[in-house]
Amino acid sequence: MALLVCVLPLVLQDYQLSLVNSALIAALGALALTVVMGFVGLVTAGNAALLALGAYGAAMGGAEMGLPFPVVVVGTVLAGGLVGLLAGLPALRVTGIYLAIATLALHFIVVFAFNEYQTQAVGSAGFFLPIATIGGLAIDTTFKWYVLLAIVVLFTWWMVQNLKRSKYGRAWMLIRDTPLAAASQGISLSTYKLSAFIISSALISMSGAFLAYSQQTVYIESFTLELAIQYIAMVIIGGMGSAGGAIAGAAFVILLPTILSRLIALLPPDMYAAGFLQQNLGDFQLIMYGTLVVVFLIWRPDGIAGLARALSTMFLPGRRESAKR
């Protein structure tokens, strides 16, 4: 992975690297969502609202109050954790589809509140953020953003991996698999569920701040319910409970529109299918997301991460022998 991170800026053009940056920001949110969905098994649809919280927190702190970029990021982390505590309260009572509906209510409440705030403050154009600076160094190029985001994503991946192996991760996965057994062993279901929501929400809010500063604009139309569904698709396609799979799922979902448009461009222009797909590319992308989610849930529930492990076991003898042992 480290080799790939170093090679990408050397082989990609500026526009292509900007797409990778978008995938890295999405990977932060997918890693965060893995904590709740993959480790604890709780379905939440409030991730777009938390992204909006981080983005508008960046707009308030950076654009309106003039606070330094690192201070704004820390502030969005704290705000996300606090909202995560409140959003996690329904998880103490309900699970499954009922929890998804409860967090969906959070989405509409947050989007409505920030829409009103934006309308009163700057109108429909949205907020324009200053260039992010760290210690006097301006993050003003695609390459600089790539370096910063790659470092943050690798650190977050390392942190989530260590959380999974810690006593918290083991407790979360026991709660996911057998809640009664977890309770019988003295594990506080409420404490561990809330801790997962707090950590996840703080990380998603942080990714929203990075999104706002990297684009230098914030407007409410970006934070749709479709965006929330995309993040859920990232976790499912990448592999539930896999930190590496979350990164792979984010890259797949974010880069899928570009891949599809390039593939459609290869079709003969006089073909009816080519024109039809180009005119309905957005709908076709949604169909692809839904189809892939169903395929992975039914035939490959461990996602891209599980598929990669299976392929490595198949083609690498050493991995195959270790898997048998």
Side-chain angles (χ1 to χ4, degrees), residues 178-270:
T178 51
L180 291 177
S184 67
Q185 294 186 24
I187 296 174
S188 172
L189 302 187
S190 59
T191 299
Y192 279 90
K193 285 182 179 180
L194 284 178
S195 66
F197 263 96
I198 291 171
I199 294 171
S200 176
S201 300
L203 291 175
I204 296 176
S205 181
M206 179 181 70
S207 69
F210 281 118
L211 176 66
Y213 269 101
S214 64
Q215 295 181 346
Q216 290 192 266
T217 57
V218 178
Y219 46 93
I220 198 62
E221 289 79 11
S222 301
F223 306 99
T224 61
L225 187 57
E226 178 187 340
L227 180 63
I229 295 171
Q230 281 184 348
Y231 273 83
I232 295 173
M234 292 174 195
V235 176
I236 295 174
I237 293 172
M240 297 280 281
S242 170
I247 297 174
F252 186 89
V253 170
I254 294 299
L255 299 179
L256 180 62
T258 302
I259 295 171
L260 289 176
S261 61
R262 293 293 175 88
L263 291 176
I264 292 172
L266 295 176
L267 296 175
D270 56 344

Side-chain angles (χ1 to χ4, degrees), residues 138-203:
I139 314 299
D140 54 358
T141 66
T142 306
F143 175 74
K144 289 179 182 178
W145 269 110
Y146 172 79
V147 173
L148 174 61
L149 291 171
I151 292 171
V152 173
V153 169
L154 287 174
F155 176 77
T156 305
W157 169 81
W158 174 82
M159 185 185 72
V160 171
Q161 281 286 83
N162 281 276
L163 272 174
K164 184 178 181 180
R165 300 190 186 105
S166 69
K167 70 172 186 177
Y168 291 97
R170 293 192 294 272
W172 285 335
M173 287 182 281
L174 185 59
I175 292 172
R176 176 194 66 192
D177 297 333
T178 51
L180 291 177
S184 67
Q185 294 186 24
I187 296 174
S188 172
L189 302 187
S190 59
T191 299
Y192 279 90
K193 285 182 179 180
L194 284 178
S195 66
F197 263 96
I198 291 171
I199 294 171
S200 176
S201 300
L203 291 175

Side-chain angles (χ1 to χ4, degrees), residues 17-68:
L17 195 60
S18 69
L19 292 177
V20 174
N21 288 347
S22 298
L24 288 172
I25 294 173
L28 283 175
L31 283 167
L33 202 56
T34 294
V35 175
V36 170
M37 288 187 59
F39 297 169
V40 195
L42 299 175
V43 180
T44 171
N47 39 78
L50 293 164
L51 282 169
L53 175 68
Y56 277 88
M60 294 178 193
E64 298 210 315
M65 301 173 64
L67 297 176

Side-chain angles (χ1 to χ4, degrees), residues 34 37-39 164 176 232-249 292-313 319:
T34 294
M37 288 187 59
F39 297 169
K164 184 178 181 180
R176 176 194 66 192
I232 295 173
M234 292 174 195
V235 176
I236 295 174
I237 293 172
M240 297 280 281
S242 170
I247 297 174
L292 288 169
V293 168
V294 172
V295 167
F296 277 104
L297 282 174
I298 296 176
W299 285 287
R300 196 81 242 182
D302 49 3
I304 294 175
L307 183 61
R309 286 192 296 268
L311 291 175
S312 64
T313 303
R319 291 292 299 270

